[in-house]
Amino acid sequence: MSEKQNYDKILMVSGIVLGLGVAAYGAWTFLKLDDQYKFTTRVSEKPVEPPSGIKKAETVNQEISASHELKPIIQETQEYVGFVAPNLWIKTGGTEPFDIVSGPPIHGNIPNKWFLDNGLEDIFIYSDVLTRDPDNDGFTVQEEYEAKTHPNDPNSHPSLINKLYVDEIKQFGFYLVFSQADGNDFTFKGQNRARQDLWRSTVQLNGQFGARKNTNEKPRFELVSVANKEFKNESLNMVETDPEATVKDLKLTKNGQTYTIRRGAKYFIPIIDKKVNLTIAAGPKRDTSFEVEEGADFQIPGDTKQTYTLKTVDNATQTVTIANKTTGEQTTLNKKK
């Protein structure tokens, strides 16, 4: 073996010995770390509090699941919720929006808020809104406002008496004649305008008369009293004595009205009965016509709560007077032209 080969073997053996020594030292050092750097770990029993300003998860869940009341925000005279803006308008030709509720009335003397509160936003913009009838009950917006009724509810409207019209006045009459007095018997006649007899009755005191024969008519009159009375004859300038009868009208609408009649064909008195044709132009039974006799009670079609009396009928002026039986308030109606 040469000298060079021996040298190489010595280097190789030395390297192996050195490597084993380094490995042994490293292992020993690693095992000693546990003694030099000891530490323990454990779970804290104290709950961890969130940083300031952050709520616990259960608190957040409770608030989310709870019921919350969303209160309206008041802007001037209007209320609105969340991101819904108040009702603002712009005048024609203008540029600045303004609060329609707090602004001056646009239609007459009616506050703008009244239109909005009663659901009239759609027709509020029209100039003829006061004459419109949105609920079709026969009353205009102006009339509903004045009566404090709801313009969008056909069951809420002013009194129907305000929409009652006279179509026709009818007049029926005859002449009542005290024709004869014979002891306790007294004779009366009913005659037409041509002075032809309609009926003839002979009665005694407290007797009833005035029904035509062969009819179902009830007696129209009652003889209350008969007494002799002096009358001055102007043409002869003398005093005459004749019987004078007091007669009560039994017709219900006449309310016991009495008449005084002197005996004699020329001293007749007219008995006049009047009827009126009326038409109601509003309410649930609008355009309904009906007939009422003077002095009779009646109800307007579509209004079962109020009862009225046809007090008077004036054929000369073509007017009638109606009274509310509950309040006594009277209303004069003219014949519809």
Side-chain angles (χ1 to χ4, degrees):
M1 182 178 299
S2 63
E3 181 178 350
K4 184 178 185 313
Q5 290 177 332
N6 291 331
Y7 179 76
D8 290 338
K9 289 181 179 181
I10 293 171
L11 289 177
M12 182 179 64
V13 172
S14 298
I16 292 173
V17 172
L18 180 61
L20 291 172
V22 170
Y25 178 78
W28 177 83
T29 302
F30 176 77
L31 294 174
K32 294 294 288 182
L33 288 176
D34 186 50
D35 295 331
Q36 295 180 11
Y37 300 99
K38 288 183 177 293
F39 64 91
T40 60
T41 58
R42 63 187 179 86
V43 178
S44 174
E45 297 178 357
K46 182 179 180 180
V48 179
E49 294 293 333
S52 177
I54 300 178
K55 297 181 180 179
K56 293 182 179 180
E58 62 267 21
T59 303
V60 175
N61 289 332
Q62 290 175 1
E63 293 185 356
I64 292 176
S65 60
S67 176
H68 297 278
E69 180 183 1
L70 187 59
K71 296 184 178 180
I73 302 171
I74 299 177
Q75 175 67 30
E76 295 186 2
T77 56
Q78 297 188 61
E79 293 183 352
Y80 62 97
V81 178
F83 297 99
V84 180
N87 198 342
L88 300 179
W89 290 57
I90 297 179
K91 294 181 180 179
T92 302
T95 58
E96 293 295 328
F98 65 95
D99 184 357
I100 192 65
V101 176
S102 61
I106 292 178
H107 299 290
N109 63 335
I110 303 179
N112 300 330
K113 188 175 186 297
W114 183 85
F115 290 93
L116 304 180
D117 289 345
N118 286 279
L120 301 178
E121 298 92 340
D122 293 341
I123 64 175
F124 180 70
I125 60 176
Y126 297 105
S127 59
D128 65 344
V129 62
L130 298 183
T131 60
R132 294 196 177 200
D133 180 13
D135 56 6
N136 197 34
D137 61 2
F139 291 92
T140 65
V141 168
Q142 179 75 51
E143 291 170 331
E144 298 260 19
Y145 171 75
E146 293 174 353
K148 299 181 180 179
T149 53
H150 200 300
N152 258 326
D153 182 359
N155 296 315
S156 173
H157 52 71
S159 173
L160 291 179
I161 193 70
N162 299 317
K163 292 292 183 178
L164 195 62
Y165 298 99
V166 178
D167 288 324
E168 183 181 8
I169 295 177
K170 301 177 182 180
Q171 184 168 291
F172 308 90
F174 59 92
Y175 297 123
L176 180 60
V177 180
F178 178 18
S179 60
Q180 187 175 347
D182 184 10
N184 293 326
D185 296 327
F186 307 95
T187 302
F188 295 87
K189 295 179 180 180
Q191 297 180 334
N192 60 20
R193 185 173 296 181
R195 300 303 302 275
Q196 298 171 326
D197 289 353
L198 300 173
W199 49 263
R200 183 177 184 276
S201 302
T202 298
V203 295
Q204 296 182 344
L205 289 179
N206 302 318
Q208 296 181 351
F209 64 94
R212 290 176 296 179
K213 292 183 179 180
N214 302 320
T215 67
N216 294 323
E217 291 180 348
K218 294 182 179 180
R220 175 67 186 263
F221 305 101
E222 179 182 331
L223 180 58
V224 177
S225 63
V226 177
N228 289 327
K229 186 177 179 180
E230 293 182 346
F231 301 91
K232 186 176 181 178
N233 188 325
E234 297 291 344
S235 60
L236 298 177
N237 194 24
M238 60 180 295
V239 176
E240 299 173 341
T241 302
D242 261 331
E244 183 181 67
T246 299
V247 176
K248 181 170 70 173
D249 199 326
L250 299 178
K251 191 175 180 67
L252 293 178
T253 56
K254 295 297 184 178
N255 297 314
Q257 183 176 348
T258 59
Y259 315 97
T260 55
I261 313 169
R262 181 180 176 181
R263 183 183 62 83
K266 64 180 180 179
Y267 301 117
F268 60 86
I269 62 172
I271 305 297
I272 299 175
D273 299 326
K274 300 173 184 177
K275 293 181 179 181
V276 178
N277 278 346
L278 301 171
T279 297
I280 181 62
K285 294 188 177 181
R286 61 190 307 176
D287 299 327
T288 299
S289 297
F290 57 103
E291 186 177 79
V292 182
E293 188 172 357
E294 184 180 34
D297 295 338
F298 68 96
Q299 289 184 324
I300 299 175
D303 181 6
T304 59
K305 296 180 179 180
Q306 300 293 331
T307 301
Y308 300 88
T309 302
L310 181 59
K311 298 288 289 185
T312 62
V313 178
D314 191 331
N315 200 28
T317 62
Q318 296 287 282
T319 60
V320 303
T321 302
I322 295 174
N324 187 308
K325 291 200 70 175
T326 302
T327 65
E329 182 180 0
Q330 295 194 5
T331 304
T332 299
L333 304 178
N334 296 307
K335 185 175 179 181
K336 192 174 183 179
K337 297 181 180 180

